[in-house]
Amino acid sequence: MSTLLTVALWVVVIWFVLIVIVTTVLMTVVARHTKKDESAEVSFPTLEPISEQVGDSTITLYTYGQDVYDAMLAEIRGAQDHVYLESYIWKNDELGEEFKREVIAAADRGVDVRLVYDSFANAVVPRAFKQFGPKIQVMRHGWFSLWILVLRIRKLGRDHRKILVVDGRVGFVGGYNIGADYATKWRDTHMRIQGPLTWELQNAFVDFWNAHAKKRKVEPLDDPGADHWEPRLRARRNAPIQMSFPIRNMYLDAIDRAKVRISITQAYFIPDSDILDALLRAAGRGVDVRVLVPENSNHVMADWLSKAFYSRMLEGGIRILFYQPTMVHAKTATIDGRWATVGTANIDRLSLTGNYEINVEVVEESVAAMMDRIFENDCTATRELTLDEWSQRGRMARFGEVVLIPLRPIM
């Protein structure tokens, strides 16, 4: 038995070594041929911020980073009571410095400022930049945990959320991290909520803060409950500490309801078998299923893992649209002109069953219409991958798709 176990362990080790070698070669080759000049000007189709009402609240959608950053900074400058800001990535460039100056200025005038950032995602950011002064409470979500040795999911989730709430009256959520390149060079989507429904984002921030306050040695926040109920809009939140992952179920439920069209935009599309099967069933019953992804994202590994699904998708009637001008980082979907979601979760294992994430779900035709308009605008900068083109890919590509399959559970 010990001999068989030893052989089995060596097979596993050799397999993963092979994966690492092949992955390194593939990533090097692909990156060499697809890397773009990051200093070059980027042009891509965007829309002016567009708004609609949901009950007593106003929902605004942004497709251009500078627009959403201008709006966020204006709200921080006008804050009178509190600023709650949570960002997966907060770069120490000129935009990051501007956000830092404004939150410090808000704290100096007596505003209660609470900040959250993910330590792992910001490991390369200088330590000096992460000092915000004694008036601001900062929660640094853990960089590394020994729980990884026993795969304790409750303890391992990265904080991938991007939330800003000001005075409980206005909030922002979506795919935009804080960084100058995102302002003009990436295509992403963010939502602004003004009015009573801001509670959805404030409550999400408060719950996360209080769940980690004792360990991080910060003061907890009041949790007064909601004064307003609006069933058309809900913030769905993944919380590994509670083993709660409702965003995945949200997608499955919405896809199963589809009758006419499903339009999904994803930075990294690595669906599990249930989500892929649901999309294939929808396409099989005549739904126009379109998945828009970057042709070459900023994560070559994710691109290769995603490609392993293309044969089944195309053969099953799912249309794949490659976004051409730049990196598209949005995590959005709209179905049948009735349902829409904007948030931080990618359709991959890390987002759907691993990270702290938040997606706003809206069941309202006017908001879905805005999302449809954004999707169609993005489609003007895509090319569609055909089954004929895909079937002619080379042997190296086919081999890479297969050999990387074991990495899906960790991506």
Side-chain angles (χ1 to χ4, degrees), residues 29 71 89 104 120 124 214 249 341 399 405:
V29 172
I89 295 172
I104 291 174
F120 177 80
V124 298
K214 184 175 181 180
N249 291 338
T341 185
F399 177 72
I405 287 176

Side-chain angles (χ1 to χ4, degrees), residues 203-260:
N203 185 59
F205 185 95
V206 169
D207 282 354
F208 181 91
W209 183 274
N210 288 346
H212 299 87
K214 184 175 181 180
K215 182 178 181 180
R216 303 300 176 195
K217 299 179 180 179
V218 294
E219 297 176 7
L221 289 163
D222 291 337
D223 186 7
D227 295 323
H228 185 81
W229 291 66
E230 172 54 75
R232 288 175 290 178
L233 186 147
R234 286 283 185 271
R236 306 300 184 188
R237 298 174 284 151
N238 284 358
I241 197 170
Q242 300 168 348
M243 293 299 288
S244 176
F245 302 100
I247 297 175
R248 179 176 178 275
N249 291 338
M250 174 196 76
Y251 268 111
L252 287 169
D253 179 74
I255 292 168
D256 280 348
R257 295 173 186 270
K259 298 281 286 186
V260 181

Side-chain angles (χ1 to χ4, degrees), residues 310-318 320 384-393 398:
Y310 287 178
S311 293
R312 283 193 66 196
M313 291 169 66
L314 293 169
E315 290 167 359
I318 297 174
I320 300 172
E384 185 166 355
L385 177 66
T386 65
L387 183 57
D388 182 61
E389 176 189 346
W390 185 242
S391 65
Q392 296 180 41
R393 68 195 187 283
R398 295 172 188 266

Side-chain angles (χ1 to χ4, degrees), residues 261-275:
R261 64 182 179 275
I262 298 173
S263 303
I264 296 173
T265 301
Q266 286 287 304
Y268 321 108
F269 185 74
I270 311 172
D272 61 36
S273 59
D274 290 334
I275 289 181

Side-chain angles (χ1 to χ4, degrees), residues 38-53:
E38 295 181 355
S39 64
E41 293 295 322
V42 177
S43 177
F44 52 95
T46 62
L47 297 173
E48 293 294 321
I50 48 180
S51 302
E52 288 289 350
Q53 291 293 122

